[in-house]
Amino acid sequence: MPYQPDFDLDLKTGEQGEALVKAGLTGTVEVKTDRRVSETGNLYIELWQFSEADRANKRPSGLSTTKAEFWATTTAKGTGFLIVKTDQLKALIKANRYTQTSQPIANSKTNGSVGVLVPLKDLLTEVGF
């Protein structure tokens, strides 16, 4: 049956959405910026980091260690963001075999990292868009 507008049901859905946004704004949030998501269609989710070129000191980081209730990815332009419950993002990654990749530059200014590429369309489907 196609969607039929109903003020009472729409109001309840709207209130649920408002509560989620408020929780995301007041709860703990891990915030990352993905500079290439619009180019690749994938979110890079960091799971490990290392500071030695041979990765000998690879250790959990990012999504593997966050205690935040929500995970947010911002646009590089600073004009928007996507926020999801951290547990839901972890479950999505666990349920799929996403491509593992790395940001291999490790030097005195930054650590290298290893993560997965999560298709933005999968994340949007997971959260119900």
Side-chain angles (χ1 to χ4, degrees), residues 14-72:
E15 289 170 343
Q16 288 174 336
E18 288 176 5
L20 179 62
V21 170
K22 286 177 184 174
L25 295 175
T26 61
T28 55
V29 182
E30 180 91 21
V31 180
K32 302 295 183 181
T33 301
D34 190 324
R35 299 184 192 293
R36 297 188 60 206
V37 67
S38 63
E39 171 190 340
T40 67
N42 299 307
L43 286 172
Y44 177 74
I45 307 295
E46 179 182 310
L47 301 173
W48 301 279
Q49 66 173 284
F50 53 90
S51 56
E52 298 175 12
D54 65 359
R55 302 181 188 193
N57 67 336
K58 186 171 106 174
R59 60 205 173 273
S61 68
L63 190 65
S64 298
T65 60
T66 189
K67 292 179 174 40
E69 183 180 2
F70 293 91
W71 185 271

Side-chain angles (χ1 to χ4, degrees), residues 6-20:
D6 180 313
F7 177 78
D8 292 337
L9 294 177
D10 291 345
L11 177 62
K12 186 174 206 134
T13 300
E15 289 170 343
Q16 288 174 336
E18 288 176 5
L20 179 62

Side-chain angles (χ1 to χ4, degrees), residues 34 37 40-47 63 71 73 82 84 88-90 92-94 96-101 115-124 126:
D34 190 324
V37 67
T40 67
N42 299 307
L43 286 172
Y44 177 74
I45 307 295
E46 179 182 310
L47 301 173
L63 190 65
W71 185 271
T73 301
L82 177 85
V84 62
Q88 196 164 5
L89 179 58
K90 287 179 177 182
L92 177 67
I93 290 170
K94 186 176 181 178
N96 293 277
R97 295 191 191 281
Y98 291 124
T99 302
Q100 193 174 87
T101 190
V116 292
L117 296 176
V118 176
L120 188 55
K121 64 179 180 55
D122 286 5
L123 185 58
L124 294 175
E126 176 71 19

